[in-house]
Amino acid sequence: MRPVRLDMAGFTVFRDETTIDFTDTDFFALIGPTGSGKSTVLDAICFALYGQVPRWGTSRGIANALAPSASEARVRLVFESAGARYVATRVVRRDGKGRVSTSGAGLQLMPAGFDPTKLDTGMTPDDLGEVLAGTPAEMDQAVLEAVGLPYEQFTSCVVLPQGQFADFLHAKPATRQQILVNLLGLDVYETIQKQASTRATQAEARLGTVDQVLKGLADADDEAVSAAAERLEAARDLAKAVDAAVPELLEAQRDADAARASLADIDTDLKRLAGLAPPGDLAGVAGAVATARTALAGAVAAVAEAEEREEKVRGELAGASDAAALRLLLEAHAEHDKLSGQASALADAVSGAGREHAAALRALEQAREVEAHAIEHLEQARRAYQDAQTADRAAALRAHLEAGDECPVCAQPVPVVPPMPAGSAVTAAEAAGKAARAAAEAAQRQVASRDKALRELDRTLERARAQHDQLTGRLAELAARLTESPGPDALRRELKALAAMQARLDEAGTAVRAAREAQRRAQAGADAADERVRAAWREFDRARDQVAALAPPAADRDDVVAAWATLAAWASELASEQRQRRDGALAGAQEAQDTVGALAARIAGLFVDAGLTVPGTGSADFLRAAAVAVERAEGAHQRLAERHAQASELREQRAGHERTSQVAKTLAGHLRANNFERWLLEEALDLLVDGASGILRELSSGQYELVHDKGDFYVVDHHDAGLRRGVRTLSGGETFQASLALALALSEQLAGMSTTAASLESIVLDEGFGTLDAATLDTVAATLENLAARGDRMVGVVTHVSALAERVPVRFEVRKDARSARVERVGL
């Protein structure tokens, strides 16, 4: 397997889309700081092919494939294997509940000469070539066939992850043997041995089956076949004899059937005639009809009389006065009396309200006069206050003047200065003004109160007058309606007379309903009597229809009793005649049946002579039994002939199964695991250890070489007198040298030894080269350069050691920022 191109998106640290192109790369290094994602590139290669990664373990599984907070991860690997180019794809998604699963996986065989750079042009999966696998389940077998290695061997020989570089070196002999079996394709011999053993077992089983079947066919010999042929011939002779005798039997059976049918017809007629009998209550039907019709006629007359009385009273009531109109007039009298009293009381109220309104108006005018005097007095007080203020200001100026001084107001000399007043005039004027203001405000409040009371009286008076006018109008209307009224007492007398007439009408209506109910009952009785007559006729028609084929006499449809009597007399006479005919028919039927019995006994003798059970006595029974006898004889003869032929064929098959069993047993014995395959594994391990030992001597400057004994690996230390040491006793640097030597030997030598598609076309080492000293590191680098220079395989390393990285021609630098890791190709 040789990688060509790797695409990642949302895969662990590679959140953004990232592409690594390995085209024209034989020797490369993945470099970058610790934790940048170098090993993740190898994880992506493993995941694209096998759906798992060594360092993930099984705790979270494919959930590790998703970048943090990402919902989808996609990995696509284009690789070459055994001269063909493939593309493997896997897609992992997280659903809404946080569950992670593989939503898509596929492996396709790409067309020859396909350019991987076309993947960037948005090609569909159908453009990538033949589909070898389309589901995760199909991927396992398809990848195994394409790469030639299962997952465990792939991570031991091609991509060697961190911490597992020395797995092949330290593996148990059985595990190491299984790896070599897969690499060399030696499992094909184990498969052949198993198939040979299976085929031998199957052949033995078939032999047993054939012998068992042959034992069951022992009776199918030539004598048995001849006896069956004789029985078949006898059955055919019986069938011919029965076919010849059956027509006569059929004719006799038809005669017997006709005689029995004639006798049965006579018996049927007698049974029908015996069932003709008139109903038991037929005599009382006519009387019941007459009584019911008489009662109905009386009820109809009673209804007519009651309806006539009702109509008479209704006419009298229609000619009388209208009770509703009389009651309305009586109500109008009552309303007029009531409203007259109300109008008189309201007129008195309007008169009193008018007097109160006049008094309130006089009080308002008086209050307004008081208000005017108070306002005038307030104005006088204001002027007196202003005069007092002027006098006080003049007195204040006077206090500083002397006679002859210039006046500060008029700028004239003052000849004489008036004397100073005894006190301030403003104080007295201010007190007088307050008193006047209080009196004016009190007068204003009195005017407002009187005005409010007057307006309220106006509204009250207006409402009273409106009510009085309304009552006066209603009284006028009532007076007009009552102009022609006879008066309340007369109206009451007329209403009482109308009530008495209505009571008489109600009594007449009740009598009509009672008469009608009696008529309904009488009608129901008449209908029931008529139905009894109709039922008697229906019974008569039913009885006559049963014997219609015997031509009964015609019936008088006016008298059901007479009709039944005529039919019964005819039935008695005809029954006597039919009984005489039955005696002759019975004798004929017995004679015909005796003839049938004799013919049937003769045919039955044929079956007895042939050694067969006698079937029924009918012609169909004889024909069917003869045909069955021939069919069974033919079937028995055919089955015996087939079993005879089957036995001959099985004897030939048995000879073939014996030959197959012997050949398969011999081949399985030669290919047992402790013989041929063990020898092949030992030879392969010798070659592998020889190659690894030479590389180890070169890496260790001749100090170490690798040997094996009974499947275990040992290192010979030539600097310590050739001491043999187990590989688990080596130091870290020594273990690395031995592991690298073994891995390189696997890559270099087993590619030519493998018999399957497991050609090791690349090797990638993900290991800490920092444990090596400078000299050993230089030797390792030179060895890797020599291996890559051959050009028949790709060599890759994952390292953070600058001295080693600088000697690799192609370097893929991996860097990671806060969002995603990225890969950049540097070097050639």
Side-chain angles (χ1 to χ4, degrees):
M1 193 285 297
R2 182 186 183 100
V4 177
R5 173 182 169 128
L6 177 65
D7 296 291
M8 300 173 287
F11 185 73
T12 66
V13 297
F14 291 96
R15 180 190 297 273
D16 296 337
E17 292 189 6
T18 304
T19 298
I20 304 176
D21 190 354
F22 295 101
T23 305
D24 299 329
T25 301
D26 294 325
F27 189 18
F28 71 90
L30 289 167
I31 63 175
T34 301
S36 61
K38 301 186 297 299
S39 297
T40 303
V41 175
L42 305 187
D43 294 344
I45 293 175
C46 291
F47 185 72
L49 292 173
Y50 299 100
Q52 53 184 319
V53 174
R55 60 178 181 156
W56 286 357
T58 58
S59 59
R60 294 182 61 216
I62 61 174
N64 295 282
L66 286 171
S69 73
S71 60
E72 179 181 273
R74 291 180 285 107
V75 179
R76 180 173 60 196
L77 174 66
V78 180
F79 66 93
E80 294 178 349
S81 180
R85 179 167 290 183
Y86 304 85
V87 57
T89 307
R90 287 189 189 266
V91 180
V92 175
R93 287 193 178 95
R94 178 185 288 114
D95 62 17
K97 297 182 179 180
R99 295 174 297 195
V100 179
S101 61
T102 301
S103 62
L107 180 69
Q108 292 171 263
L109 176 62
M110 305 179 75
F114 184 87
D115 185 2
T117 59
K118 293 183 179 179
L119 294 172
D120 300 324
T121 62
M123 300 180 66
T124 64
D126 295 336
D127 300 327
L128 298 181
E130 178 185 356
V131 177
L132 304 179
T135 64
E138 296 173 352
M139 281 287 285
D140 295 341
Q141 184 61 33
V143 170
L144 179 60
E145 294 175 358
V147 178
L149 293 172
Y151 169 72
E152 293 77 8
Q153 280 68 48
F154 182 82
T155 56
S156 296
C157 300
V158 179
V159 175
L160 283 70
Q162 286 182 349
Q164 300 183 25
F165 186 59
D167 280 359
F168 188 78
L169 178 68
H170 293 153
K172 294 180 180 180
T175 304
R176 193 182 300 119
Q177 175 178 313
Q178 186 59 44
I179 293 174
L180 290 176
V181 167
N182 291 331
L183 286 173
L184 298 174
L186 299 183
D187 53 349
V188 68
Y189 300 109
E190 182 180 357
T191 302
I192 294 174
Q193 188 273 331
K194 290 180 179 178
Q195 290 181 354
S197 298
T198 301
R199 186 167 297 180
T201 302
Q202 292 174 347
E204 290 291 337
R206 292 191 183 101
L207 278 173
T209 302
V210 169
D211 289 341
Q212 189 68 26
V213 175
L214 284 173
K215 187 183 296 185
L217 297 175
D219 59 337
D221 53 14
D222 295 338
E223 294 180 0
V225 174
S226 298
E230 294 176 359
R231 288 193 295 272
L232 174 59
E233 188 62 27
R236 288 172 177 169
D237 292 340
L238 171 64
K240 291 179 181 178
V242 171
D243 289 341
V246 161
E248 185 178 359
L249 176 62
L250 288 174
E251 183 63 28
Q253 285 178 335
R254 283 193 291 272
D255 293 342
D257 291 341
R260 284 194 297 272
S262 177
L263 180 62
D265 290 342
I266 294 174
D267 288 339
T268 300
D269 293 342
L270 287 173
K271 184 176 180 180
R272 291 174 180 174
L273 292 172
L276 285 179
D281 59 344
L282 185 61
V285 170
V289 171
T291 301
R293 288 177 179 174
T294 301
L296 177 60
V300 169
V303 168
E305 183 180 356
E307 289 177 346
E308 183 180 357
R309 286 196 302 270
E310 181 185 28
E311 287 300 321
K312 181 178 179 180
V313 175
R314 192 181 302 279
E316 293 176 357
L317 186 61
S321 300
D322 186 2
L326 295 177
R327 281 191 290 271
L328 289 176
L329 287 175
L330 189 60
E331 292 173 357
H333 276 290
E335 183 181 4
H336 185 275
D337 295 342
K338 178 181 178 181
L339 293 181
S340 296
Q342 292 179 354
S344 176
L346 191 59
D348 295 341
V350 169
S351 176
R355 289 191 296 273
E356 289 182 6
H357 182 270
L361 183 60
R362 289 193 298 273
L364 176 61
E365 291 175 352
Q366 292 174 359
R368 286 175 176 169
E369 291 178 358
V370 173
E371 179 187 19
H373 290 304
I375 291 173
E376 183 179 358
H377 187 262
L378 178 61
E379 283 296 320
Q380 292 175 356
R382 286 176 178 170
R383 290 193 295 270
Y385 180 75
Q386 291 174 352
D387 293 342
Q389 285 181 327
T390 301
D392 280 357
R393 284 194 293 272
L397 295 174
R398 193 185 309 163
H400 303 289
L401 291 177
E402 295 290 341
D405 291 341
E406 186 176 294
C407 178
V409 177
C410 62
Q412 297 293 326
V414 178
V416 178
V417 178
M420 292 292 294
S424 176
V426 172
T427 302
E430 184 176 5
K434 290 181 178 179
R437 182 181 301 278
E441 291 176 351
Q444 288 175 345
R445 286 193 296 273
Q446 183 68 20
V447 169
S449 175
R450 298 294 177 121
D451 184 63
K452 180 179 180 181
L454 182 62
R455 286 197 298 273
E456 182 65 27
L457 284 173
D458 285 340
R459 287 192 292 272
T460 301
L461 183 60
E462 184 66 24
R463 286 194 298 270
R465 287 172 178 171
Q467 291 178 358
H468 184 269
D469 292 342
Q470 184 178 4
L471 288 176
T472 303
R474 179 59 179 165
L475 285 172
E477 293 176 2
L478 292 174
R481 285 179 57 188
L482 298 176
T483 301
E484 297 181 359
S485 173
D489 294 337
L491 291 174
R492 292 188 186 95
R493 288 192 297 273
E494 289 186 25
L495 285 173
K496 185 176 181 180
L498 287 174
M501 294 176 65
Q502 183 64 44
R504 286 166 52 206
L505 179 61
D506 292 342
E507 291 176 358
T510 300
V512 169
R513 288 191 293 274
R516 288 174 178 171
E517 178 61 21
Q519 180 185 359
R520 185 191 64 78
R521 290 194 298 271
Q523 184 65 52
D527 293 342
D530 291 341
E531 178 58 26
R532 290 180 64 188
V533 172
R534 288 193 293 272
W537 277 113
R538 286 195 296 272
E539 181 64 20
F540 174 82
D541 292 337
R542 184 191 62 78
R544 191 176 184 282
D545 289 342
Q546 289 181 353
V547 295
L550 302 178
D556 181 6
R557 303 302 295 184
D558 294 332
D559 190 348
V560 66
V561 177
W564 266 108
T566 302
L567 184 63
W570 167 82
S572 176
E573 181 180 355
L574 183 60
S576 178
E577 296 175 359
Q578 291 291 78
R579 281 192 288 271
Q580 293 177 2
R581 289 182 55 213
R582 186 181 185 283
D583 294 338
L586 180 61
Q590 185 62 47
E591 182 180 356
Q593 188 61 40
D594 291 342
T595 302
V596 170
L599 293 173
R602 190 177 70 183
I603 298 176
L606 297 176
F607 284 90
V608 173
D609 295 341
L612 298 176
T613 302
V614 178
T617 59
S619 57
D621 295 332
F622 292 135
L623 291 173
R624 184 168 50 253
V628 169
V630 173
E631 183 178 350
R632 289 177 178 175
E634 289 176 344
H637 179 266
Q638 182 178 356
R639 286 193 298 273
L640 198 58
E642 290 175 353
R643 295 176 71 218
H644 185 271
Q646 183 184 5
S648 299
E649 183 180 352
L650 287 175
R651 281 190 285 271
E652 294 177 2
Q653 291 180 4
R654 189 182 189 284
H657 293 327
E658 282 182 334
R659 291 191 298 271
T660 300
S661 176
Q662 291 174 359
V663 172
K665 285 180 180 179
T666 302
L667 179 59
H670 289 315
L671 294 180
R672 291 195 183 277
N674 56 2
N675 294 325
F676 184 70
E677 185 178 301
R678 177 178 297 177
W679 176 80
L680 287 175
L681 285 174
E682 290 176 353
E683 290 296 318
L685 191 58
D686 288 341
L687 291 174
L688 177 61
V689 172
D690 287 344
S693 184
I695 296 173
L696 181 58
R697 281 195 301 271
E698 183 180 357
L699 292 175
S700 63
S701 300
Q703 180 179 357
Y704 302 114
E705 68 178 17
L706 189 65
V707 297
H708 75 95
D709 183 11
K710 297 180 180 179
D712 290 325
F713 286 160
Y714 297 91
V715 170
V716 177
D717 189 350
H718 292 290
H719 290 184
D720 194 7
L723 177 65
R724 282 204 344 175
R725 296 165 53 192
V727 292
R728 293 188 180 276
T729 66
L730 300 178
S731 66
E734 293 169 340
T735 298
F736 179 79
Q737 289 179 333
S739 299
L740 179 59
L742 197 56
L744 294 176
L746 280 171
S747 177
E748 187 174 23
Q749 295 185 21
L750 292 186
M753 296 167 56
S754 177
T755 60
T756 68
S759 54
L760 304 178
E761 301 172 82
S762 60
I763 183 169
V764 184
L765 310 177
D766 184 4
E767 192 63 29
F769 292 95
T771 61
L772 304 180
D773 56 35
T776 304
L777 185 63
D778 182 69
T779 302
V780 170
T783 303
L784 294 175
E785 289 171 349
N786 293 335
L787 181 63
R790 297 178 57 177
D792 58 349
R793 63 186 45 77
M794 175 188 288
V795 179
V797 294
V798 178
T799 183
H800 57 275
V801 178
S802 301
L804 178 59
E806 291 172 355
R807 297 183 61 170
V808 180
V810 178
R811 298 182 294 278
F812 295 99
E813 185 174 4
V814 184
R815 295 189 177 279
K816 186 175 71 171
D817 56 23
R819 173 173 174 78
S820 175
R822 293 174 176 78
V823 179
E824 180 181 2
R825 179 169 177 163
V826 296
L828 297 178

